[in-house]
Amino acid sequence: MNNIGNHTAVSEISTLLVLRHSNNSVGIVQAVNPSGNLIDVQPDRNKVDMVMRIDSSENSFTDFYADFYHQLKDPLEYSFFKVREFEANETAKGLQKYIDKSSDAERQDLTAYEVSIEAVDTARNQKYVDKNSSVLNSGLINEAPINNNRSQYRYQIEDVPWDTMAELGLEREKLEEIGVLESLLKGYKTPMLIAIFFNDGETVGQIDARLQLRIDNDGELIVKVHQVCKRVDFRKKFKGHKFTKEDRVNLLTSGNMGRVVDLIDTVTGEVIPSLISLDRLTNEPISLRMEFVRIADVLCGVRLDLEQKQVLRDGKPLLIENMLSKKGKLFSATVQFNADRQWVEIMFDNKFRSAGFSEVHHSEREVPSHFRGIKLRQWQMDKLKAGEIAYIEGLESRKGNNYQGFMSFDKSIGRIVFSFKNPKNK
């Protein structure tokens, strides 16, 4: 079916076609913006460098597609088709002609050739992808289909390891109450620190951490605990990378290292070009493969040229002028890609704005709305934001005993520090 001659190497790179259900238009996927909206381009050979390029090997594609799909705000508004990059333009045009001339009933036949998120997640969980999928006889879609079953989340509620959650002192109702369950099911880290129980065999206590659901090396769904580190130990290598002095300064000031480095997969030994940022709530170094670094064409109303997009893709800061805020006002600021958040962030601190650069300092970290399962009152949050001591009661230990104490907010680590005694009374 596929006579590609000497294009064997090219066929290893794929891209995605998108069918928008709202207007039945076909495009070639480019990126997902920070708001979760899809960015695509019309078929045009002159725009070949602007489309998404994907390693089509099974494991790499399933990992990519799961992360891509769950970034979308309304994924059910689209259908996606995996095609070879060098044939994407002609295939997109052919698909559009088919859509324009076919009836609603005939369009339903295309569902058999969509990339299904449920099938992809199942393949990732089982570390297996069916290699014997059939090819569309008409040649309209050139890649083998993955059966079409839709799922809103990466993980299902019944698959969550609730026994582990119970050991951490968490139940489904509590996760729903503090508004983190949906983030967990989508594969994201909890947006705030959560108080959990820990037991190291000698002592039992509580710590603040961010949680995330992940598939381990045995294919099991586990709860990954991202503990708060008071300081980053830059003396230790991170996935084979030794931090330079400049790396340390960049991470501690902006939260982003600012360059691409080769990291080593601790399991496979694979060398992976990546960006590194700090999780600003836990001080944990976070890496992101370069294949997952997506830069949108337009940022706050400003269309980026290829040179600007490459600067951001390289992880470097970039000053952009005359951006448009949500309130319709023009502003200028330095932006930079953040590997932890997986989007281009705006650096709002004014300290270095006159020099054309701005940095994000740890003082920017926000006071969380909950502490050890207790929703803070506004006056408590106001005191913490002002750097003052706040009293809290109604806390509950693992044994069910109530206790109380004093809180302060440590801006250097972005977390609430608890003490049974008032720190002011030495």
Side-chain angles (χ1 to χ4, degrees), residues 272-326:
I272 306 170
S274 306
L275 294 178
I276 300 176
S277 297
L278 284 185
D279 182 322
R280 291 183 180 133
L281 293 180
T282 65
N283 273 334
E284 177 186 18
I286 302 294
S287 63
L288 182 68
R289 292 170 174 256
M290 289 306 298
E291 63 190 277
F292 297 146
V293 177
R294 313 295 173 193
I295 308 298
D297 274 350
V298 179
L299 181 63
C300 294
V302 175
R303 179 167 292 277
L304 305 178
D305 58 33
L306 292 178
E307 183 178 353
Q308 290 173 312
K309 292 175 67 175
Q310 188 59 51
V311 169
L312 293 175
R313 181 173 170 78
D314 291 339
K316 299 176 182 178
L318 175 69
L319 177 66
I320 299 182
E321 299 180 337
N322 298 322
M323 290 187 287
L324 190 65
S325 71
K326 292 182 179 179

Side-chain angles (χ1 to χ4, degrees), residues 16 32 36 62-80 114-118 120-121 148-154 186 188:
L16 288 177
V32 179
T62 53
D63 286 342
F64 156 77
Y65 188 76
D67 285 328
F68 161 79
Y69 186 89
H70 292 294
Q71 291 180 49
L72 293 169
K73 181 179 180 181
D74 298 306
L76 299 184
E77 295 298 320
Y78 317 103
S79 292
F80 296 101
E114 295 178 29
V115 183
S116 160
I117 184 59
E118 184 174 75
V120 166
D121 284 340
N148 180 53
N149 291 307
R150 297 187 181 277
S151 173
Q152 184 179 2
Y153 300 115
R154 179 180 299 184
K186 287 184 176 181
Y188 302 143

Side-chain angles (χ1 to χ4, degrees), residues 72-198:
L72 293 169
K73 181 179 180 181
D74 298 306
L76 299 184
E77 295 298 320
Y78 317 103
S79 292
F80 296 101
F81 305 91
K82 178 187 173 191
V83 300
R84 287 188 280 269
E85 182 194 24
F86 74 97
E87 296 177 338
N89 285 292
E90 295 304 318
T91 306
K93 292 176 181 178
L95 180 57
Q96 186 66 70
K97 290 180 180 178
Y98 177 81
I99 293 294
D100 294 340
K101 295 180 179 180
S102 62
S103 64
D104 291 341
E106 290 171 329
R107 289 173 195 160
Q108 291 300 315
D109 295 338
L110 287 174
T111 59
Y113 305 100
E114 295 178 29
V115 183
S116 160
I117 184 59
E118 184 174 75
V120 166
D121 284 340
T122 300
R124 293 180 75 228
N125 293 352
Q126 297 177 354
K127 292 191 174 180
Y128 174 78
V129 176
D130 184 5
K131 298 181 180 179
N132 300 314
S133 300
S134 61
V135 179
L136 182 61
N137 292 332
S138 66
L140 180 62
I141 303 300
N142 297 292
E143 293 285 345
I146 301 179
N147 292 334
N148 180 53
N149 291 307
R150 297 187 181 277
S151 173
Q152 184 179 2
Y153 300 115
R154 179 180 299 184
Y155 309 115
Q156 301 305 308
I157 190 73
E158 60 270 18
D159 297 328
V160 176
W162 292 111
D163 291 343
T164 302
M165 287 292 188
E167 293 175 0
L168 299 175
L170 300 171
E171 298 177 349
R172 175 176 175 176
E173 291 76 13
K174 186 172 183 179
L175 295 176
E176 290 177 335
E177 179 184 348
I178 61 179
V180 300
L181 182 57
E182 184 174 9
S183 295
L184 289 171
L185 295 179
K186 287 184 176 181
Y188 302 143
K189 287 187 287 189
T190 55
M192 78 280 285
L193 296 173
I194 299 176
I196 62 172
F197 291 115
F198 78 97

Side-chain angles (χ1 to χ4, degrees), residues 3 19 69 77 87 104 174 261 269 273 359 383 413:
N3 297 320
L19 169 60
Y69 186 89
E77 295 298 320
E87 296 177 338
D104 291 341
K174 186 172 183 179
V261 293
E359 301 181 4
K383 278 183 169 291
I413 58 176

Side-chain angles (χ1 to χ4, degrees), residues 212-273:
Q212 187 176 25
L213 295 177
R214 271 288 180 257
I215 303 295
D216 66 7
N217 295 330
D218 297 322
E220 299 291 331
L221 186 60
I222 63 170
V223 181
K224 182 172 179 59
V225 177
H226 299 270
Q227 296 188 36
V228 174
C229 304
K230 190 167 185 179
R231 294 183 181 86
V232 185
D233 189 353
F234 289 114
R235 296 171 298 178
K236 295 182 179 179
K237 288 187 176 181
F238 176 71
K239 298 182 180 180
H241 173 68
K242 183 176 181 180
F243 293 105
T244 66
K245 182 178 180 179
E246 184 179 2
D247 291 340
R248 297 195 297 267
V249 171
N250 289 339
L251 286 168
L252 291 175
T253 53
S254 70
N256 306 310
M257 199 168 77
R259 66 188 181 105
V260 180
V261 293
D262 288 334
L263 302 182
I264 300 175
D265 189 301
T266 55
V267 177
T268 66
E270 177 186 5
V271 178
I272 306 170

